[in-house]
C-alpha cells in the first residue's frame, strides 16, 4: 500500500483507486490459495505423519508412502502438460481429488485400497504442486508489475505468506490428532476413524474454497511452451523443454537443493516420527511433536519470506536453515538416546522445532529461487522440482 500511496501525487484519483482494487485482488488470491492448502494439508499432513505408526501391518503405511512418492516422481514428468492444458486453477482443483481419495482409503486401510489411492495421489500431487508454484508465481509477478514493485521481493513475500500458512497445517492438523487420539485409541475402527472423517470434511472445505480463485491463464503463468498442433507434437515439445533446463548451469547448481529438500521432508514425516517420536512419546505424541514442527516451520517461513530480496539473501537464509538441520542430524547420530522423564519428552519436541526452522527455509527459498531465476520456464522448472 505504501507504493500506491507514494504515487498519489503523480496519478489521478481514479487511477489510484483502480490500483488499490488491483492490489486487493492479487493479495486476495494469495489468501485463498493459502487457506485452501491449509485446510487440505492439515488433514493430509497429519495422516502422513501417522502412516508408518498406525498402518504397521506388513509396513503398509510406509510402503504406501513409498509408492505415493514414486508415483509423484513419475507423473511429475507430465504434470506441466496437464497444467498447461487445464490451466493452473483447474489443475489445483483436480489435484485435491487425490488427497480426498487417499484419506478415504485410510478408513479401510488394506493393500487393495491404499495402493491404488497412493498411485492416484502421486498423479494428483504432481499436478497440484506444479499448479501451485505456477499460480503463486504468476500472481506475484502480476502484483509486482501492476504496482511497480520489486519482483524478487514480492515473490519472496507471497511465498512467505503461502508457506507460512502451509506450514501451519502441521500445527493445526496434529493438534486435532493429539486431541482425538489422546485416549490411546489407535485402531482404524476407533479414534482414527473419527479423525479421518473430520479430515475428509476439512479437505472438502479446502476444495470448495479453491473454486473461488481467479484464473491466471494468459497472465504470465505460461512459460516456455507454445501450444503445438496435435497432442504428439505438444508432447515432443514438452519433452524438449524438460530436458533443456537440465543443461542450464543454474539448474545444475540448485538440483542438490531440490534433492535435499525432499530427503529432509521424507525423514521428518516417516523416520523421525517412527524411530524418535513414537518410542519416546507414543503414537499420540506424534501429533504433538509435529504440531511443534509445524509451528516453527510456519514462523520461519513467514520470516524467511519477508527477508527475501534476491540471490544474496537467499544464500544466507538457506545456509542458516541447513546449519539448523545439521545440528539435529549430528545430535541423533552422536548423542541421542531414548530416555524417560521430562528430558525424554523435551528432546523430540526440541528436535522437531529445529527441523521445522530448516524446513521453513527450504520451502520458501527454493520456490522464490525458481521464480527469480527462471521467469520464462516457470511451469517446467516446478515440474522438475
Amino acid at each position: 500500500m505504501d507504493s500506491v500511496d507514494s504515487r498519489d501525487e503523480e496519478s489521478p484519483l481514479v487511477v489510484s483507486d483502480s490500483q488499490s482494487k488491483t492490489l486487493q485482488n492479487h493479495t486476495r488470491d494469495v489468501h485463498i490459495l493459502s487457506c485452501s492448502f491449509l485446510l487440505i494439508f492439515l488433514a493430509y499432513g497429519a495422516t502422513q505423519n501417522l502412516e508408518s505408526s498406525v498402518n504397521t501391518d506388513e509396513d503398509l503405511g510406509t510402503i504406501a508412502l513409498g509408492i505415493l512418492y514414486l508415483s509423484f516422481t513419475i507423473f511429475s514428468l507430465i504434470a506441466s502438460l496437464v497444467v498447461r492444458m487445464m490451466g493452473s486453477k483447474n489443475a489445483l482443483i483436480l489435484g485435491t481429488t487425490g488427497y480426498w481419495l487417499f484419506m478415504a482409503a485410510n478408513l479401510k486401510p488394506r493393500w487393495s485400497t491404499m495402493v491404488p489411492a497412493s498411485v492416484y495421489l502421486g498423479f494428483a500431487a504432481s499436478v497440484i504442486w506444479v499448479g501451485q508454484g505456477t499460480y503463486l508465481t504468476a500472481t506475484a509477478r502480476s502484483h509486482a508489475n501492476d504496482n511497480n514493485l520489486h519482483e524478487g521481493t514480492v515473490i519472496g513475500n507471497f511465498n512467505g505468506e503461502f508457506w507460512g500458512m502451509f506450514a501451519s497445517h502441521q500445527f493445526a492438523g496434529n493438534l486435532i490428532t493429539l486431541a482425538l487420539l489422546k485416549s490411546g485409541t489407535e485402531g482404524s475402527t476407533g479414534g482414527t476413524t473419527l479423525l479421518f472423517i473430520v479430515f475428509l470434511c476439512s479437505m472438502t472445505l479446502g476444495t470448495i474454497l479453491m473454486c473461488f480463485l481467479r484464473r491466471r491463464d494468459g497472465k504470465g503463468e505460461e512459460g516456455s511452451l507454445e501450444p503445438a498442433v496435435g497432442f504428439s507434437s505438444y508432447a515432443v515439445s514438452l519433452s524438449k523443454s524438460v530436458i533443456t533446463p537440465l543443461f542450464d548451469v543454474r539448474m545444475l547448481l540448485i538440483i542438490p537443493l531440490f534433492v535435499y529438500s525432499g530427503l529432509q521432508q521424507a525423514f521428518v514425516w516417516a523416520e523421525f516420527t517412527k524411530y524418535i517420536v513414537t518410542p519416546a512419546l507414543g503414537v499420540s505424541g506424534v501429533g504433538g511433536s509435529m504440531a511443534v514442527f509445524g509451528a516453527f516451520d510456519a514462523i520461519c517461513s513467514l520470516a524467511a519470506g519477508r527477508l527475501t530480496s534476491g540471490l544474496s539473501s537467499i544464500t544466507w537464509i538457506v545456509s542458516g536453515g541447513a546449519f539448523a538441520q545439521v545440528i539435529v542430524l549430528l545430535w541423533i547420530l552422536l548423542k541421542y538416546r531414548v530416555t524417560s522423564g521430562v528430558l525424554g519428552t523435551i528432546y523430540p519436541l526440541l528436535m522437531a522445532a529445529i527441523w521445522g526452522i530448516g524446513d521453513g527455509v527450504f520451502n520458501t527459498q527454493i520456490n522464490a529461487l525458481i521464480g527469480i531465476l527462471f521467469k520464462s520456464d516457470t511451469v517446467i522448472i516446478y515440474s522438475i522440482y
Side-chain angles (χ1 to χ4, degrees):
M1 292 297 295
D2 290 338
S3 62
V4 175
D5 294 338
S6 65
R7 294 166 59 192
D8 284 347
E9 296 180 359
E10 303 175 7
S11 306
L13 182 58
V14 174
V15 176
S16 180
D17 290 341
S18 175
Q19 289 167 347
S20 297
K21 184 177 180 181
T22 301
L23 173 65
Q24 183 180 6
N25 285 340
H26 290 313
T27 55
R28 165 188 172 275
D29 287 332
V30 179
H31 301 333
I32 291 176
L33 184 66
S34 302
C35 290
S36 297
F37 270 73
L38 173 60
L39 289 169
I40 292 167
F41 281 88
L42 72 83
Y44 172 71
T47 302
Q48 181 177 246
N49 295 334
L50 289 171
E51 281 298 322
S52 61
S53 301
V54 173
N55 294 329
T56 56
D57 221 11
E58 297 181 336
D59 279 333
L60 174 59
T62 302
I63 292 174
L65 290 178
I67 293 173
L68 191 165
Y69 284 99
L70 176 61
S71 173
F72 190 175
T73 302
I74 294 172
F75 281 113
S76 289
L77 297 174
I78 64 169
S80 59
L81 173 62
V82 176
V83 172
R84 288 183 180 283
M85 291 177 64
M86 299 185 65
S88 57
K89 176 186 173 180
N90 291 334
L92 286 167
I93 296 172
L94 173 65
T96 63
T97 62
Y99 291 91
W100 200 96
L101 182 63
F102 183 80
M103 186 62 60
N106 273 276
L107 291 171
K108 295 292 183 180
R110 301 183 178 91
W111 290 100
S112 58
T113 58
M114 293 297 292
V115 172
S118 296
V119 172
Y120 179 67
L121 178 52
F123 163 74
S126 68
V127 171
I128 200 173
W129 281 113
V130 173
Q132 177 274 329
T134 304
Y135 189 92
L136 186 62
T137 303
T139 304
R141 287 174 179 163
S142 296
H143 181 74
N145 291 335
D146 291 346
N147 296 278
N148 291 333
L149 299 173
H150 184 266
E151 187 174 283
T153 300
V154 175
I155 290 174
N157 289 341
F158 278 19
N159 273 283
E161 176 180 340
F162 174 83
W163 288 105
M165 286 286 287
F166 177 79
S168 300
H169 82 266
Q170 289 285 359
F171 180 74
N174 285 296
L175 280 185
I176 295 173
T177 300
L178 184 62
L180 295 181
L181 298 184
K182 64 181 179 181
S183 62
T185 53
E186 301 171 7
S188 62
T189 59
T192 53
T193 299
L194 175 60
L195 181 68
F196 294 143
I197 291 174
V198 171
F199 284 164
L200 279 172
C201 294
S202 177
M203 284 187 168
T204 302
L205 289 175
T207 302
I208 293 172
L209 187 59
M210 197 92 73
C211 296
F212 290 94
L213 289 171
R214 292 192 308 161
R215 293 183 183 275
R216 289 283 163 183
D217 309 286
K219 297 184 179 181
E221 75 167 34
E222 308 301 334
S224 60
L225 270 178
E226 294 295 332
V229 179
F231 180 83
S232 58
S233 299
Y234 194 77
V236 170
S237 179
L238 173 66
S239 299
K240 292 180 180 178
S241 296
V242 171
I243 295 172
T244 301
L246 297 178
F247 294 93
D248 189 322
V249 175
R250 298 171 302 172
M251 188 67 188
L252 294 176
L253 290 174
I254 64 174
I255 280 178
L257 281 180
F258 290 0
V259 174
Y260 178 75
S261 177
L263 290 174
Q264 62 93 14
Q265 289 183 353
F267 169 77
V268 74
W269 290 336
E271 306 305 306
F272 180 75
T273 55
K274 184 175 183 179
Y275 295 109
I276 302 296
V277 178
T278 301
L281 305 178
V283 173
S284 61
V286 171
S289 65
M290 297 310 289
V292 172
F293 167 80
F296 278 82
D297 197 331
I299 293 170
C300 186
S301 294
L302 289 170
R306 292 294 178 183
L307 294 173
T308 303
S309 59
L311 293 179
S312 60
S313 63
I314 290 175
T315 301
W316 284 106
I317 295 171
V318 168
S319 298
F323 179 73
Q325 293 193 342
V326 166
I327 292 175
V328 175
L329 293 174
L330 291 176
W331 186 0
I332 293 173
L333 286 172
L334 304 177
K335 192 86 174 174
Y336 179 74
R337 298 291 184 274
V338 176
T339 59
S340 58
V342 177
L343 290 179
T345 301
I346 292 177
Y347 285 162
L349 299 180
L350 182 57
M351 288 182 186
I354 298 173
W355 201 267
I357 292 172
D359 187 61
V361 163
F362 285 108
N363 284 334
T364 55
Q365 300 308 295
I366 289 178
N367 282 273
L369 195 60
I370 292 173
I372 292 172
L373 291 181
F374 302 98
K375 296 182 179 182
S376 61
D377 302 303
T378 305
V379 179
I380 297 299
I381 302 302
Y382 277 117
S383 179
I384 293 172
Y385 178 33

